[in-house]
Amino acid sequence: TYSVSAHAKDIYLADPGDLRGRMADAAFTVTCTCHNQQHLRGIAAPGTPVHLMYHGIDFHRFTPGPRPDHPAVPLILAVGRLRDKKGFAALVEACSGLGEIDVVARYGG
């Protein structure tokens, strides 16, 4: 068996009949917003499971500890595909300005 993870392009640009068939053959379908879930349920055959699975992490379960090498400096982590629309260029540009401020003085240490 397999599952389907449906995102914007998969949902709104795909042929609804093809999408309905893929979802019907899958064990379940997941998507990341309530709006997408409602839209997919409208396309899917009755009884086809369409689950909501938000992107991100539960900060209560995954709280970073101090960095042993620089305990006072915050850690920046980004995960995603290297595509322009993901904004990594903007992130790198923003991080380049961190050298202009005294990060340790601002965040303690």
Side-chain angles (χ1 to χ4, degrees), residues 6 12 27 32 42 53 58 64 66 72 78 83 99:
Y12 301 105
C32 57
M53 184 185 306
D58 179 349
R83 298 281 185 241

Side-chain angles (χ1 to χ4, degrees), residues 81-89:
R81 291 180 301 138
L82 293 176
R83 298 281 185 241
D84 287 342
K85 67 181 180 178
K86 299 297 182 181
F88 284 104

Side-chain angles (χ1 to χ4, degrees), residues 6-8 11-12 31-41:
H7 300 274
I11 298 170
Y12 301 105
T31 191
C32 57
T33 70
C34 289
H35 180 79
N36 289 351
Q37 183 185 36
Q38 290 171 358
H39 183 79
L40 289 169
R41 285 181 173 165

Side-chain angles (χ1 to χ4, degrees), residues 56-65:
I57 61 170
D58 179 349
F59 288 111
H60 298 289
R61 290 186 62 200
F62 299 99
T63 303

Side-chain angles (χ1 to χ4, degrees), residues 20-108:
R20 182 181 305 108
R22 283 184 277 158
M23 291 191 307
D25 292 340
F28 60 89
T29 298
V30 297
T31 191
C32 57
T33 70
C34 289
H35 180 79
N36 289 351
Q37 183 185 36
Q38 290 171 358
H39 183 79
L40 289 169
R41 285 181 173 165
I43 293 172
T48 301
V50 181
H51 301 288
L52 178 61
M53 184 185 306
Y54 291 114
H55 294 296
I57 61 170
D58 179 349
F59 288 111
H60 298 289
R61 290 186 62 200
F62 299 99
T63 303
R67 294 178 56 190
D69 54 341
H70 299 286
V73 178
L75 174 66
I76 298 172
L77 172 69
V79 179
R81 291 180 301 138
L82 293 176
R83 298 281 185 241
D84 287 342
K85 67 181 180 178
K86 299 297 182 181
F88 284 104
L91 176 62
V92 170
E93 183 179 342
C95 289
S96 71
L98 293 175
E100 298 170 13
I101 62 172
D102 188 348
V103 175
V104 175
R106 178 169 288 185
Y107 293 100

